Every structure is written in C-alpha cells, then in structure tokens.
Amino acid sequence: MNDNAPPTSVGSGSTGRIHPGTSCAARVVRVVAAVLCALGLSAVAASPARADPTAGGDLQVAQTLGDRDLTFMLRRVTGLPGPLHVDVLTHRGTAAGTLRLGAVPTGVSADRAEGSSAGTTTSRASVRLGGTPGSYGAALDIDRAGPWELVVDDGSRTARIPFVVPGQATSPPELAVFGGFVTAGVLILVTLFVAVRVRRGAWVLLPAGGVVAALAVAVTAALLSASLPPPPQPGGQVDATNDNVTDPYAVVRPVTNDYSRPPVSLELGSYPATAGERGTLRLSVTDGATGLPADDLVVHDGALMHLLVIGPTGELWHLHPIRTAPATYEVRLRLPAAGHYAVSAEFARLGGGVQQVRSATGLTVADGPEHNGPARGGSSHNGSARGGAPALPAELSPQGPGTRTIEGVPVRLSAPSPTAGEASTLTARIGDTPTLQPWLGMVGHMIVVGPLDKADATSPTRMGQAAQGAPVWAHAHSMGGDMSGHSAHDMRAAPAHDADAMGHGDAGGMEHGDADAMEDGHETGKGDGHGAGTGSMSGLMPLNGDSPADETVAAYGPDASFVYTFSRPGYYRVWIQAERDSAVLTVPYLLRVSPAGGAR
C-alpha cells in the first residue's frame, strides 16, 4: 500500500482535493454571517423607530345635551372594518330616555368614488339611558379610515361630534427597514447558492456585497427614524381628509412647521328666555382673520367647548355646548335671576392651541314670572320673584377658606395667605374618603375671576356685570390623583377638631358674612390655619397610555390641590369643581390676595 498516494473521493473522476474557490467561498460566507449578526445586534440595540405618532386612542367628549350632562367615550377602532364602541356616562339626576346614534363619514378625497358617501349615515344604533348613574353602551360599524361624525339625537336636538379613525400607514423609514432586511435575506440565499455551485470564489463577493449594503440601509433607516419628524397629524394639526388619514406620508411630507391658526371670535345669538324660563343659547365661532366659520375645534380637556357663565348672584355654570352644524354650537339654559350674565368659552383650535375667548356682550336676562325649581348647573334654589332680589341659599354665598357643606358633602379649602405674583397652593378636601371621580380627565377644576371690588364680589345682584369686566379669567386643574386609599395628610393625622368638623358635616371654618375671614384669606373659627394636606400629586394617568382617565373610577382624593399665581392683588371669586357620587359639586369661595411685599 502506497501511503503517499493522494486520497480518493467517492464518485468517478474526483480527485478529493479542496478547490481554492470553495475555500474562498466558505470564508466569504463566514464573513457575511458575522456581519449579519453584528448589524442585527446593532439594530436591536438601537432606538426603536417612531416615525409615526401614536394615534387612535379613546376619545372622551362631554356634552350638555338638553337637560342632560353626558360624557361620551368613543373607544378606539382596532381594525377595519370594525366596531366603534360608544359608552355614554350619565350623572346623578340624568333623566332616563333613548338616544339614537349614527356614524357619518365626512372626509373628502381626490378619488370621487371614495368620497361619494360623505354625509350619509352608514350605521345606526340606540342607547337606552337608565334612571341611575352609570355607563350605557352601543356599537356602530366603521368601514374605512378617515374623518367621521358621531350623530346623537335625543328626539328634540342633534349633536354632531367629529372624530378621526386612523389608517394603518407605513412610514418611509419602516419601508426602508423592511425592504433592506428582505433584500438581505434573499441575497444571503443567492450567496450560498453561488458559493456551492461556482468554482471561482470571486463571484461570491457580488451577492455578499449586496447583503452588506442592504443591511446597512436597513440599520441606518432604523437609527435615523427616531429623529425624523412625523407628518402633521390629520385631525390634530391639519384638516383631516380620507387621503391624508389613509397615508399621511404620501400627502404631506414630514416637516417641522408651526401649524398654528389665528384666534377665533365668539358670537352669541339672541336669548329671548326670561328669568326662570328654559331657553337655547346659540354660539358661532368664526376665524379672526377671515370672518369665515371656524369648524376646526378639537377635543380639549374632554370637550369641544367649555362654556363658563357667571350670573348676577355669583352662580357659575360650566357647560359643554353641542355642535349642531359646522362652527355652530348650542346649549339649553334656565337662568334663575334677572340681570347680566358674563360668558366665556375655552376651546382648542386645530393646530392653534388653547384659547379662552370672552364674549364682549354677555347676556342680559329680563325679569320673568315667579318660578321655583332647580337651576341648571346642579344647584337647587328659588329664583327671584318679579321685581324682587334673588334668593341665594347659604351654600352658594361667597365665603372665605374654611369648611362648608355643599349638597351634604363637607368641603374644606386651605389657601394660606395668597400673595400677588407668588405661586399659591390651594387645597380642597372634598369629603373624607378617596372617592373622587375624574371629571373631564382631571380630579378637580378651579375657575378664577378677578380682581373685583369688594362690594361687587359680595353683591347678590352685580356679580355678572363685575365679572364681565374683570381683568382675569382663569381655568386651572388639579392633575394629581391618589388611589392609595388615603391622602398624604391622612385624616388620622389631622387635628381632632378638623376631623370632627368633616366627619359630621359641620360648616365650621367661617360663618356666612364673616368679613374678617374674607379679607385675611385664611381659615378662622374651627380651622387651625394649616388646612388639609396637599395629597398625592403623582398624576392622573390614562388607562392605556393615550386615553383619558375613566370617569367611572371613584378612587381619587379626597384632596384636590391647585397651584396658581394671582397676578394682581384684590378680591377674587373662586369656584372649585369635582365629581363625587356621579355628581359634579361646585363650591364657591371668596379670596383676598395681598399685594406683593406683604402690605395689607
């Protein structure tokens, strides 16, 4: 046997020698595999691509529909075609009845066939409201992406709520990433095939180079996509159409422009109702630059429009007019007393930010026949007789900080020595248990009007006229929410007389007409001047990251804290609002803000 003979291989004609090209191909394959692993790890470690903003969250819209204060929750549409679930939340005192719902596509399109159904109701459903507060739901069919309207009919009036159903658009960076990896995968197979079938290893470098180039494109797109600005959000920054909702990248390129629009003008229609009668107030919103109807209000703080009405007695109405037509809104009112009513509206224009517009005229309500019954806004008291002064119950009269009872609920306000130009913390403890519900997405609301003359601020007949010309109108929120079962300043740590006052519903604090307490701006009587604790300010988080807080959850509070800077010294009327037991409580206060420097 010849030990020096070359090895033989299976198969005729084979010499068994390793071909130089095959060795080169193997090395190339190993290099490609190493590059693939390295680039893959770098892509995983890189920041995720977020070229598209999160869209399609639940939409919460409060509506004052006739005599009902309702909250509509439009749940996100997760697939097309698919259902739009609508939950209607009712409050204490909401009358039972039936609402008829309809879904109407409103978007225009360059494709005439695509926009042919605009304005036509494509799906209908009914919601039967019960006599007890709660959530009542229905579902509508949605068959396409684009702008829509939810039409709500209660039998006498129709509200139209605009909303947008987002499409499933793929951004250019995502296309580059997907295309790069798919191309790399195909070229890897080609590289392996060439390495096995071709004797010359140099040919393997061609597909292998393509693999590296495709992977480089994919990884570069993934890395750069985090810094690429998204296109303007249809329905949030630019007017929504079927085309830009379906594919915003194809219609509007990613830019960093400012999409702001000019302020709008608020015009009030005639209000023929007299004191104690129900009447409909119509409002129109027009562009401040062109005078054309501005039908581009977007949902802000849970409503298309927040309407604030302050009457001659100092009573506050916080309402949410329904949209009945483009740029046209209306709300039903029963104003209890004759006199002047100041009116202000807060809303957000598409791409234009939040605006607070005060009516230049307000409303003047004529005297009417003697009447009795509950007034709009949740209060119940007798109105004025013809020619007489309005009878305002003690719980609606202006008082300084301290403890008082509103609709059977003890409310204690702590406002230690507010000073002009300095941030002040006002803390309202509403009840003695953590059972507040998020209203309009927040634990509490605070309306501030002033500074006012002391006589006007305490007058039962001139408050509306005084508010009409007040320099400051402000709307602040309490964003904190404590769901731990107790607030930071637990009741057990409070002074005994404070706990006793709240536990028994004692008005405590300051008796009606205590002028000294009004001027000092802090608690007297049973209060110790320290007030309730500020509670947790951890923030009221949405349910799923981009949807409003659930109004049916009664687990916040009892403290609602507000941080506000009074710009000028003087007397201010303050109304604090919070929801408890499915009823919105409105608590009026009078504060004296000291001048800067400690002068009194």
Side-chain angles (χ1 to χ4, degrees):
M1 182 175 180
N2 187 1
D3 294 335
N4 297 323
T8 58
S9 62
V10 179
S12 62
S14 299
T15 64
R17 292 180 297 175
I18 300 176
H19 199 281
T22 304
S23 177
C24 179
R27 287 196 299 269
V28 170
V29 171
R30 288 195 294 270
V31 170
V32 170
V35 171
L36 178 62
C37 293
L39 292 178
L41 291 175
S42 65
V44 172
S47 299
R50 299 188 183 277
D52 277 328
T54 301
D58 297 346
L59 182 67
Q60 181 188 82
V61 187
Q63 297 277 265
T64 303
L65 185 61
D67 294 328
R68 296 186 177 103
D69 289 317
L70 305 172
T71 300
F72 290 84
M73 290 294 299
L74 283 65
R75 304 298 181 182
R76 67 177 66 196
V77 178
T78 56
L80 293 173
L84 168 68
H85 294 281
V86 180
D87 294 332
V88 183
L89 307 180
T90 63
H91 301 93
R92 190 196 311 167
T94 300
T98 300
L99 301 179
R100 288 172 288 277
L101 309 180
V104 180
T106 59
V108 298
S109 174
D111 185 353
R112 181 172 299 180
E114 184 70 18
S116 60
S117 61
T120 303
T121 303
T122 60
S123 179
R124 290 182 172 86
S126 296
V127 176
R128 175 66 181 175
L129 303 181
T132 58
S135 177
Y136 304 87
L140 297 166
D141 295 326
I142 302 295
D143 59 358
R144 75 196 74 174
W148 290 72
E149 281 185 354
L150 174 66
V151 180
V152 184
D153 182 6
D154 69 347
S156 60
R157 59 196 59 79
T158 301
R160 297 180 176 273
I161 303 174
F163 65 98
V164 176
V165 177
Q168 301 296 325
T170 302
S171 67
E174 288 176 326
L175 292 175
V177 171
F178 298 151
F181 279 115
V182 170
T183 303
V186 173
L187 290 178
I188 287 176
L189 298 178
V190 174
T191 302
L192 295 175
F193 178 80
V194 172
V196 173
R197 300 299 301 268
V198 178
R199 294 181 179 273
R200 300 184 61 181
W203 291 102
V204 182
L205 297 177
L206 293 177
V211 172
V212 175
L215 289 175
V217 170
V219 174
T220 302
L223 293 174
L224 295 181
S225 62
S227 59
L228 180 66
Q233 182 184 0
Q237 294 173 305
V238 295
D239 296 310
T241 65
N242 289 335
D243 299 330
N244 64 16
V245 170
T246 303
D247 190 359
Y249 290 93
V251 179
V252 184
R253 300 300 179 187
V255 291
T256 56
N257 292 346
D258 182 8
Y259 307 102
S260 62
R261 297 181 177 181
V264 301
S265 300
L266 178 69
E267 183 177 347
L268 306 184
S270 60
Y271 184 75
T274 59
E277 294 179 342
R278 295 189 183 277
T280 299
L281 175 63
R282 291 181 172 83
L283 310 99
S284 58
V285 182
T286 57
D287 184 273
T290 64
L292 298 175
D295 190 37
D296 57 1
L297 303 191
V298 296
V299 175
H300 160 66
D301 287 344
L304 286 169
M305 178 183 291
H306 299 264
L307 190 71
L308 301 177
V309 181
I310 298 177
T313 62
E315 200 171 353
L316 171 77
W317 289 261
H318 181 173
L319 307 169
H320 305 98
I322 62 173
R323 176 178 171 269
T324 58
T328 303
Y329 296 80
E330 70 175 41
V331 64
R332 190 169 174 83
L333 289 167
R334 184 169 71 177
L335 301 176
H340 188 80
Y341 290 77
V343 179
S344 173
E346 180 182 310
F347 42 75
R349 192 175 186 186
L350 185 148
V354 180
Q355 303 178 29
Q356 187 175 52
V357 182
R358 198 184 316 178
S359 170
T361 59
L363 294 176
T364 300
V365 177
D367 204 356
E370 184 175 357
H371 54 274
N372 293 283
R376 288 288 300 119
S379 60
S380 177
H381 61 274
N382 295 338
S384 60
R386 181 183 295 272
L392 195 67
E395 69 176 15
L396 295 180
S397 63
Q399 297 184 14
T403 304
R404 60 189 307 180
T405 301
I406 301 293
E407 298 187 21
V409 179
V411 181
R412 178 190 181 91
L413 177 66
S414 171
S417 303
T419 303
E422 299 179 4
S424 300
T425 300
L426 289 74
T427 301
R429 168 161 288 193
I430 303 167
D432 53 7
T433 57
T435 54
L436 298 183
Q437 300 165 252
W439 184 51
L440 306 175
M442 268 72 70
V443 170
H445 300 255
M446 182 175 70
I447 312 301
V448 178
V449 174
L452 304 168
D453 181 78
K454 180 180 178 181
D456 291 334
T458 57
S459 171
T461 58
R462 299 194 306 272
M463 183 57 207
Q465 190 64 55
Q468 181 72 45
V472 175
W473 281 57
H475 182 182
H477 296 138
S478 176
M479 297 297 294
D482 182 8
M483 297 184 65
S484 62
H486 56 81
S487 59
H489 182 87
D490 196 88
M491 287 293 295
R492 290 168 296 182
H497 52 263
D498 291 348
D500 181 73
M502 282 185 277
H504 294 84
D506 190 344
M510 183 197 70
E511 300 299 328
H512 172 56
D514 192 334
D516 293 335
M518 290 182 185
E519 294 195 14
D520 290 343
H522 58 267
E523 294 98 338
T524 62
K526 290 188 178 182
D528 63 354
H530 298 291
T534 58
S536 170
M537 294 300 292
S538 58
L540 189 60
M541 298 303 295
L543 284 176
N544 49 21
D546 56 4
S547 298
D550 191 349
E551 189 176 335
T552 62
V553 176
Y556 298 93
D559 293 338
S561 295
F562 306 86
V563 178
Y564 183 75
T565 300
F566 296 91
S567 59
R568 306 183 184 186
Y571 290 90
Y572 287 81
R573 291 296 301 270
V574 174
W575 295 264
I576 291 177
Q577 295 187 300
E579 184 175 358
R580 189 173 186 268
D581 295 333
S582 296
V584 178
L585 303 177
T586 301
V587 190
Y589 286 99
L590 176 65
L591 293 181
R592 182 185 184 275
V593 177
S594 302
R600 299 192 61 83

